[in-house]
Amino acid sequence: GYYDNWSSQGIPWEIFKTIECEDKIQAIKIEAHIKKMKSREYKENLKKYKEMVLKLKERYKTKI
């Protein structure tokens, strides 16, 4: 079944960072990139350094 904000192990998700995106496509690509990065340090640095978020947004900018 579908459980909103819960992992498959029954552990609730915790939002650690929100990023304003141009559109849904950019948001999905950035989320996939962050999930692919298995480093806890990388994820913690996203909280600390605004430049990292800006680089992600530029890297996954939607092409018109």
Side-chain angles (χ1 to χ4, degrees), residues 25-36:
I25 294 169
Q26 184 185 40
I28 290 169
K29 287 179 179 182
I30 290 174
E31 181 180 10
H33 174 85
I34 293 169
K35 285 180 176 180
K36 185 171 63 173

Side-chain angles (χ1 to χ4, degrees), residues 3-53:
Y3 299 98
D4 192 22
N5 295 325
W6 291 81
S7 70
S8 62
Q9 291 83 24
I11 302 168
W13 288 102
E14 183 178 317
I15 296 174
F16 76 95
K17 178 75 175 165
T18 56
I19 300 172
E20 290 285 328
C21 294
E22 294 175 3
D23 54 31
K24 187 175 180 177
I25 294 169
Q26 184 185 40
I28 290 169
K29 287 179 179 182
I30 290 174
E31 181 180 10
H33 174 85
I34 293 169
K35 285 180 176 180
K36 185 171 63 173
M37 303 302 289
K38 300 292 184 184
S39 168
R40 180 181 294 263
E41 183 179 352
Y42 178 83
K43 293 173 185 173
E44 290 298 322
N45 285 338
L46 277 176
K47 289 183 191 178
K48 292 181 193 176
Y49 304 111
K50 186 178 181 179
E51 307 84 43
M52 288 180 70
V53 173

